[in-house]
Amino acid sequence: MSLSATDVKKIAHLARLGIEDKDVAHYAQDLSGMLDLVAQMNALNTENVSAMAHPLEQHQRLRADVVSEVNLREQFQAIAPQVEAGLYLVPKVIE
Amino acid sequence: MHTKTITELAKSLRAKEFSSVELTHAYLDRIKQYSELNSFITVTEEQALTAANAADKALSLGNAPLLTGIPIAQKDIFCTYGVKTSCGSKMLDNFIAPYNATVVEKFNQAGAVMLGKLNMDEFAMGSSNETSFYGAVQNPWDINTVAGGSSGGSAAAVAARLAVAVTGTDTGGSIRQPAALCGITGLKPTYGRVSRYGMIAYASSLDQGGPMARNAEDAALLLQAMAGFDPKDSTSVDAPVPDYQESLTNSLAGLKIGLPKQFFSADLNPEIAKTLQAAIAEYQRLGAEVKEISMPMLEYAIPAYYVIASAECSANLSRYDGVRFGYRCDNPQDLTDLYTRSRGEAFGAEVKRRILMGTYALSAGYYDAYYLKAQKVRKLISDDFKRAFSEVDVIMGPVSPSTAFGIGEKIADPIEMYLADIYTIAINLAGLPALSIPAGFVNAMPVGLQIIGNYFDEARLLNVAHQYQQETDWHKQTPKGFE
Amino acid sequence: MEWETVIGLEIHTQLATKSKIFSAAATAYGAEPNTQACAVDLGLPGVLPVLNEEAVNMAIKFGLGIEAEIAPVSVFARKNYFYPDLPKGYQISQMDLPIVGKGHVDIEVDGTTKRINVTRAHLEEDAGKSLHEDFHGLTGIDLNRAGTPLLEIVSEPDMRSPKEAIAYARSIHNLVKWLGISDGNMEEGSFRCDVNVSVRPKGQAEFGTRREIKNLNSFRFMQQAIDFEVDWQIEQIESGRQIQQATVLFNPNTGETRAMRSKEEANDYRYFPDPDLLPVLIDEALKAKIKADLPELPTAKKQRFINQYQLDNDAATILTSSRFLADYYENVVTESGCEAKLSANWIVGDLLGALNKAGLEISQSPIEASRLAGLLKRIADNTISGKIAKQIFDTLWESAQTADEVIDAQGLRQITDTGAIAAIIDEIIAANQKQVEQYRGGNEKVFGFFVGQVMKAMQGKANPAEVNKLLKDKLQ
């Protein structure tokens, strides 16, 4: 399976990943290689096999509905790129 | 001081042969002296000395926990309050963690002194530490070769005696492979044994933190401090933690060792094969029985892994968007520009490859063919292990198909690099515990023996490793120039 | 051509838990920006979600409330997309195995009952808020809401008119409040509706292409938005254009809908099971326990009101339109001594009328059930007339007095003493001979005049039945 430059650009956009034009072909080649590797799985018949999402057959533990977090806005926003009036700022969102 | 193991150091500290402050100074000096290795991203000198001071006070009062005053270091994937936690990435080069990972918290409670944060492949994606934003780590056994990855800084630091023991994380071999390449002991516990809270996620269903140390005894002490249920991690297992020291001395008579024939095929370097056979023969002398087993699904581990790990990482790394923390590009023109440039400029090539791969594998129309298929293959691999463990107590094999390779030698060919994870990856898919111990040298470079155990059988793995280390001295070798 | 409207709803209702669905931060509304967003809500590196038990219980409650299947195993999935109010770059939601499966609610429109099928209801986390006020041309992000538990309730496209859609939305709104799983506050965004609208020629089997109106937070807007959308779609088709599937926003100022710019590109959410969360198991014991604690549901209660209290359908419908109102009604009935119909009339007519005028909810009523019951008791035992009662009602509304206190203080006790009434009647007959002759001459309308005069003379306190009876006798 091989991916084209257009495919790579499409995927990169989905992942919001800036890739320079000069690198696109390289990524296309690498990803095609990865897909060839992955294609080895097709040799296996998995028709009646259940999908395994977790290594251990455990189920979700539930947390009591208790508020224990305190306001740490100052600490959290000290590491933020841009804040004002307690808000994180981003370029204008157009709906 | 730097030649002692944890057990020895704990004795010396209590005997007042030297203080934790002196010990910490000694290690800090070595870290400075060998900074060329590039094993540390951040050295937390001030905090370390403060902690050492507190440790000395606690020691003088008596009753201090065993790790009190012991200088360790954390892989830079564990969040450390008030200290840069970069995960080896430009993305988090400016990230001062506002909280501690559970593992870090546990070491603090145990009284350990943190010397600093260790170099690693970017977001733990890599097998050579060459994907780190901070550069490759040199292998102390030959500074022109890689230290392995992703916990390359961790392995090199222990091998060069820059910390007595350290933490690592293992998603596809990231503790065991660098441990093998640097000639130290590294244990990847059962998935869920050690909390993942505050351990920056690469592939959530595979990631597991564990100890890397000079020998199994020290690794057992570290694991004792790290392991345990954490209510903050839904995948953490609520099961009692055994006393890992207690079982170290158990006899190996009657131990059933499985040797998968797929592990010893023609692909394995014959010199390494010979080294491992010698180690296995040593086990037979210790009373173990050896049995050849077959695990036909192992060969599908790499393809399944690169789908599952990539898919999970593609989502796990979406939070790095330049909005709340981390790298933000200059003058974003609009929202899309903010995202694509921040992520494009701050992620390295290997991270990008895996995000792209994962995004593709999950995208509309491909989910069943890739992700679902990989999860089914994962089940088959896990069943292979279940079958094997109904016949044997532990499985042994290689960790890496070769000894440490040259820095820059494989980085241009990512696929070849992936294929080198052939012996370690299946264990993560199954969620089993496994460790790597030094088993000899090929061309003066360390070779690791991998020992895989059944779920939650860490105590047995440490016992099996420890008994071998009573009979051999591979683990006591120190690279030249670092004595 | 005659057109048929097809409507399906996706309702997001915030669950009334104290803490968030995956973190221990508070969910309270209206806090200073980002003061209730903890490390987990912010999606800091390394943090992990742990599921809130109460959110699960509330979802089960809802499922039982619509007679739905509760999944024995349900799974959380990541829905991947980039948006600044979505900190992790994915929303933890459910895809393949939602917690609540197929269920239904019955709605009533123009006297006909119709069953609306619910496809599923699943748990997910809410996103934060983008504030578009001007920060030097930038947008501000408040993540307090991020991680608030949501139950997304998805209906089948079973509705055929805006009226049905609103009846369904109201019914779900009533139910979630009834069950105590949501405050249902639409202004604060606790209950938001996405409406899928399409049109097709009447009689055609296939559905038309739908457009989804996002985030409607009032029933009035829902009506306006659907009306506009339906007209717009018909106009498009009739003028030869095709409807493109789209997500649209409703502008309350213009009453129009328009396609969203940010959702232009086709979304590929790349759902996959969240590896940080394990499958949620719900056993029969938990279901049984929650079921046992379930209150009587609106439909059952309405039927019981009709049977037990002989209420008509309209009154029973109104009185079960909220759990508070239904409880209020039953308290009044009990405390007033089983004056079921009288209670219904007073609540539906006088009380709700007054509340509506004052813009108050039943829960904010200045007259508590016990005081209203006290008033009705005095009507029932003839202490006061209905007319006097209305006067007292106004006093009860404005003060904390009981009906008895008002009656005593203002001397409003009804006069049932026939002797006293007869004496007044005699005086009035004597003083109005002309009207007596008219009445006796066959003009029965004049009777009302006499009643009025008697009541006036007795300051309205005479028992109307007695007055009527005595007047009739004496005028013959």
Side-chain angles (χ1 to χ4, degrees):
Chain A
M1 172 112 197
S2 83
L3 289 183
S4 67
T6 319
D7 294 331
V8 170
K9 282 183 183 166
K10 216 179 93 191
I11 305 162
H13 178 66
L14 255 184
R16 299 295 185 273
L17 209 48
I19 288 179
E20 288 187 48
D21 284 339
K22 65 175 174 59
D23 296 331
V24 170
H26 203 194
Y27 279 107
Q29 190 194 325
D30 288 349
L31 287 176
S32 302
M34 287 174 89
L35 289 173
D36 287 342
L37 179 67
V38 160
Q40 291 171 13
M41 293 193 302
N42 297 335
L44 278 179
N45 180 358
T46 51
E47 211 171 311
N48 295 314
V49 180
S50 58
M52 177 172 163
H54 289 279
L56 304 170
E57 276 165 29
Q58 294 220 309
H59 61 87
Q60 179 63 33
R61 198 163 17 82
L62 302 176
R63 177 178 63 79
D65 181 24
V66 176
V67 175
S68 60
E69 293 286 351
V70 294
N71 172 22
L72 296 174
R73 184 174 81 181
E74 215 168 302
Q75 265 191 56
F76 292 149
Q77 296 199 338
I79 52 169
Q82 200 180 1
V83 287
E84 190 174 311
L87 298 161
Y88 294 96
L89 295 190
V90 296
K92 197 144 197 72
V93 174
I94 302 155
E95 289 202 309
Chain B
M1 285 177 245
H2 67 270
T3 58
K4 292 178 186 287
T5 64
I6 294 179
T7 317
E8 290 161 356
L9 286 176
K11 263 187 212 138
S12 300
L13 286 172
R14 278 164 186 75
K16 303 234 178 326
E17 286 167 33
F18 44 79
S19 68
S20 173
V21 169
E22 287 168 308
L23 177 63
T24 302
H25 268 301
Y27 270 112
L28 288 169
D29 288 348
R30 282 185 71 80
I31 292 169
K32 263 179 226 153
Q33 188 185 344
Y34 296 107
S35 63
E36 293 275 291
L37 283 180
N38 202 23
S39 59
F40 279 79
I41 291 173
T42 305
V43 180
T44 51
E45 181 165 351
E46 210 175 302
Q47 285 106 316
L49 291 170
T50 309
N53 239 313
D56 282 331
K57 285 207 184 86
L59 284 164
S60 68
L61 293 172
N63 261 339
L66 196 95
L67 291 183
T68 304
I70 305 291
I72 59 146
Q74 298 282 358
K75 184 175 181 181
D76 209 18
I77 200 168
F78 289 100
C79 284
T80 41
Y81 181 83
V83 175
K84 176 165 103 172
T85 301
S86 74
C87 219
S89 181
K90 180 179 178 182
M91 181 59 86
L92 293 177
D93 184 48
N94 63 359
F95 178 67
I96 310 295
Y99 72 100
N100 273 332
T102 297
V103 162
V104 172
E105 204 59 52
K106 279 175 171 270
F107 275 115
N108 287 348
Q109 276 159 23
V113 171
M114 185 182 85
L115 298 167
K117 307 292 295 288
L118 297 158
N119 203 345
M120 56 180 285
D121 278 300
E122 184 179 9
F123 283 100
M125 299 177 202
S127 311
S128 68
N129 216 108
E130 292 168 289
T131 72
S132 169
F133 172 62
Y134 303 92
V137 174
Q138 296 174 344
N139 189 320
W141 292 94
D142 174 356
I143 58 167
N144 296 312
T145 65
V146 300
S150 66
S151 311
S154 301
V158 174
R161 315 300 190 230
L162 307 187
V164 63
V166 300
T167 58
T169 62
D170 192 316
T171 306
S174 282
I175 286 176
R176 292 158 287 158
Q177 186 256 23
L181 268 43
C182 290
I184 65 161
T185 301
L187 167 65
K188 172 212 130 36
T190 308
Y191 182 84
R193 180 82 284 187
V194 171
S195 168
R196 293 189 299 116
Y197 190 81
M199 189 180 106
I200 298 177
Y202 156 24
S204 311
S205 78
L206 303 164
D207 296 343
Q208 184 63 200
M212 299 173 78
R214 301 259 294 276
N215 58 29
E217 190 182 12
D218 281 5
L221 288 170
L222 243 63
L223 182 62
Q224 201 76 54
M226 295 171 83
F229 172 66
D230 181 6
K232 288 180 183 164
D233 175 359
S234 297
T235 61
S236 156
V237 175
D238 195 357
V241 178
D243 184 333
Y244 295 119
Q245 292 296 309
E246 209 174 66
S247 46
L248 287 178
T249 50
N250 290 355
S251 155
L252 299 189
L255 179 81
K256 290 196 197 80
I257 298 172
L259 302 176
K261 62 177 182 199
Q262 289 81 0
F263 271 1
F264 295 91
S265 69
D267 296 340
L268 183 64
N269 173 315
E271 293 297 314
I272 291 180
K274 224 159 73 187
T275 309
L276 298 182
Q277 293 301 349
I280 289 156
E282 181 61 41
Y283 274 108
Q284 286 173 304
R285 272 194 291 283
L286 288 169
E289 297 159 21
V290 169
K291 185 176 180 188
E292 190 188 78
I293 55 173
S294 179
M295 303 188 66
M297 295 301 153
L298 285 179
E299 64 172 298
Y300 300 102
I302 290 181
Y305 174 87
Y306 278 98
V307 171
I308 291 167
S310 300
E312 291 182 8
C313 96
S314 75
N316 280 336
L317 270 61
S318 291
R319 69 190 61 198
Y320 307 105
D321 59 3
V323 176
R324 297 164 317 287
F325 53 82
Y327 181 84
R328 170 182 261 188
C329 65
D330 287 334
N331 303 315
Q333 296 307 297
D334 55 32
L335 208 51
T336 304
D337 189 44
L338 168 72
Y339 290 146
T340 52
R341 269 206 298 132
S342 298
R343 293 163 61 77
E345 292 168 13
F347 286 143
E350 185 57 37
V351 169
K352 282 183 190 159
R353 261 193 293 274
R354 296 196 196 186
I355 291 176
L356 291 172
M357 174 67 201
T359 304
Y360 180 73
L362 291 173
S363 64
Y366 296 106
Y367 180 86
D368 286 5
Y370 293 113
Y371 192 74
L372 200 63
K373 179 84 183 178
Q375 285 205 326
K376 290 178 171 194
V377 173
R378 183 177 189 176
K379 177 77 170 69
L380 293 174
I381 291 167
S382 158
D383 288 347
D384 246 9
F385 278 109
K386 278 202 183 102
R387 244 187 324 273
F389 281 116
S390 68
E391 296 175 42
V392 300
D393 299 319
V394 294
I395 295 169
M396 290 189 185
V399 178
S400 170
S402 71
T403 57
F405 47 89
I407 293 175
E409 192 183 312
K410 287 191 182 175
I411 196 71
D413 187 351
I415 308 290
E416 200 197 329
M417 191 88 94
Y418 299 164
L419 293 175
D421 295 337
I422 177 78
Y423 304 116
T424 48
I425 265 178
I427 287 86
N428 297 78
L429 290 171
L432 293 163
L435 54 67
S436 169
I437 51 170
F441 292 83
V442 168
N443 297 329
M445 292 304 283
V447 172
L449 168 72
Q450 180 168 220
I451 313 172
I452 306 158
N454 208 341
Y455 295 103
F456 299 103
D457 224 359
E458 288 83 0
R460 192 202 296 264
L461 289 183
L462 290 162
N463 165 226
V464 170
H466 181 72
Q467 288 306 307
Y468 179 78
Q469 291 179 340
Q470 299 311 296
E471 304 299 321
T472 57
D473 68 352
W474 307 117
H475 63 288
K476 290 184 178 160
Q477 309 291 319
T478 312
K480 272 202 185 66
F482 297 91
E483 294 89 353
Chain C
M1 191 186 307
E2 222 188 316
W3 295 92
E4 182 178 51
T5 305
V6 175
I7 303 169
L9 262 68
E10 287 166 26
I11 296 173
H12 291 86
T13 187
Q14 283 184 353
L15 297 177
T17 54
K18 293 185 204 77
S19 64
K20 302 216 170 144
I21 183 165
F22 298 118
S23 84
T27 54
Y29 179 83
E32 282 292 299
N34 291 309
T35 55
Q36 284 179 177
C38 71
V40 174
D41 307 327
L42 293 176
L44 291 185
V47 299
L48 296 169
V50 184
L51 182 58
N52 185 336
E53 177 177 34
E54 199 52 30
V56 172
N57 290 346
M58 286 176 168
I60 297 172
K61 244 184 217 177
F62 176 80
L64 294 173
I66 59 163
E67 297 179 330
E69 304 150 14
I70 308 295
V73 181
S74 81
V75 166
F76 283 94
R78 293 181 180 179
K79 178 182 181 181
N80 295 285
Y81 65 96
F82 285 88
Y83 208 68
D85 64 14
L86 186 72
K88 298 185 293 298
Y90 59 83
Q91 179 193 32
I92 306 177
S93 180
Q94 299 195 288
M95 183 61 181
D96 283 343
L97 294 167
I99 187 160
V100 176
K102 283 187 170 52
H104 58 83
V105 291
D106 292 337
I107 58 163
E108 212 179 273
V109 171
D110 300 332
T112 328
T113 303
K114 181 172 176 176
R115 173 154 293 189
I116 306 296
N117 292 297
V118 172
T119 317
R120 58 184 280 163
H122 64 253
L123 283 168
E124 61 184 24
E125 55 180 347
D126 207 344
K129 276 183 190 163
S130 302
L131 303 168
H132 302 291
E133 291 104 72
D134 201 22
F135 294 98
H136 343 285
L138 301 173
T139 292
I141 307 294
D142 174 10
L143 296 170
N144 279 347
R145 199 179 68 177
T148 299
L150 286 179
L151 188 66
E152 179 174 337
I153 304 154
V154 183
S155 83
E156 292 289 314
D158 282 352
M159 289 146 278
R160 294 291 173 269
S161 68
K163 247 188 188 174
E164 288 184 5
I166 286 159
Y168 166 76
R170 279 190 186 280
S171 158
I172 296 286
H173 186 243
N174 180 22
L175 183 63
V176 296
K177 285 168 63 175
W178 191 283
L179 294 169
I181 63 172
S182 177
D183 66 16
N185 190 323
M186 297 181 78
E187 275 169 29
E188 293 177 2
S190 298
F191 191 88
R192 322 192 288 265
C193 302
D194 298 343
V195 186
N196 284 295
V197 180
S198 65
V199 296
R200 62 180 171 190
K202 209 161 189 140
Q204 179 184 302
E206 308 87 66
F207 292 130
T209 304
R210 65 191 159 85
R211 303 214 311 164
E212 181 182 15
I213 316 169
K214 274 272 176 209
N215 260 333
L216 295 167
N217 64 352
S218 97
F219 297 122
R220 193 162 57 90
F221 291 163
M222 192 188 292
Q223 173 87 47
Q224 292 174 3
I226 301 173
D227 284 345
F228 178 86
E229 184 63 27
V230 168
D231 288 349
W232 183 87
Q233 288 189 15
I234 292 172
E235 192 192 302
Q236 292 292 308
I237 299 170
E238 285 184 340
S239 51
R241 282 183 285 267
Q242 280 195 328
I243 303 293
Q244 303 295 323
Q245 193 164 329
T247 306
V248 304
L249 287 175
F250 173 68
N251 181 343
N253 299 320
T254 61
E256 295 177 359
T257 59
R258 65 158 174 88
M260 275 175 87
R261 287 169 66 176
S262 56
K263 301 256 176 172
E264 268 168 14
E265 60 185 279
N267 275 310
D268 184 348
Y269 291 125
R270 291 160 282 137
Y271 280 99
F272 75 105
D274 191 331
D276 286 333
L277 292 159
L278 300 164
V280 180
L281 301 192
I282 295 166
D283 59 17
E284 289 302 319
L286 177 63
K287 265 197 304 194
K289 186 183 166 292
I290 292 175
K291 195 164 194 173
D293 293 342
L294 225 50
E296 185 183 23
L297 296 173
T299 329
K301 198 174 284 256
K302 177 178 151 185
Q303 207 47 55
R304 181 167 63 78
F305 281 7
I306 292 171
N307 299 339
Q308 185 177 343
Y309 303 126
Q310 277 83 51
L311 299 186
D312 60 36
N313 188 59
D314 286 353
T317 304
I318 293 170
L319 289 174
T320 53
S321 62
S322 89
R323 188 170 163 192
F324 197 97
L325 181 55
D327 289 345
Y328 187 101
Y329 168 67
E330 288 213 281
N331 286 337
V332 172
V333 172
T334 314
E335 294 192 35
S336 65
C338 287
E339 291 298 330
K341 272 194 159 165
L342 185 68
S343 301
N345 291 342
W346 270 82
I347 292 171
V348 172
D350 302 88
L351 183 66
L352 291 184
L355 287 170
N356 192 27
K357 215 165 124 189
L360 297 174
E361 294 288 320
I362 179 69
S363 56
Q364 302 164 303
S365 170
I367 305 180
E368 309 84 344
S370 60
R371 290 201 296 142
L372 184 63
L375 177 66
L376 302 189
K377 214 158 53 189
R378 295 295 160 254
I379 301 174
D381 68 8
N382 280 330
T383 306
I384 52 170
S385 66
K387 199 172 163 206
I388 291 290
K390 297 208 191 287
Q391 202 179 308
I392 299 173
F393 179 89
D394 292 341
T395 312
L396 295 186
W397 183 275
E398 278 146 22
S399 75
Q401 287 176 293
T402 63
D404 283 344
E405 284 164 358
V406 178
I407 290 166
D408 287 344
Q410 297 185 18
L412 298 175
R413 205 164 289 279
Q414 180 165 268
I415 297 164
T416 44
D417 172 2
T418 46
I421 298 171
I424 297 286
I425 289 176
D426 289 341
E427 276 173 38
I428 289 185
I429 288 177
N432 297 285
Q433 278 306 309
K434 201 173 118 200
Q435 283 82 355
V436 173
E437 277 162 36
Q438 285 174 348
Y439 179 78
R440 287 181 178 152
N443 184 354
E444 294 205 353
K445 279 184 196 162
V446 188
F447 188 76
F449 164 79
F450 286 107
V451 174
Q453 290 296 309
V454 174
M455 285 305 210
K456 193 173 163 195
M458 300 190 77
Q459 289 138 356
K461 287 183 281 184
N463 179 315
E466 276 314 312
V467 172
N468 276 358
K469 193 168 144 260
L470 288 170
L471 257 178
K472 270 200 181 130
D473 289 349
K474 290 191 185 275
L475 283 172
Q476 252 169 14

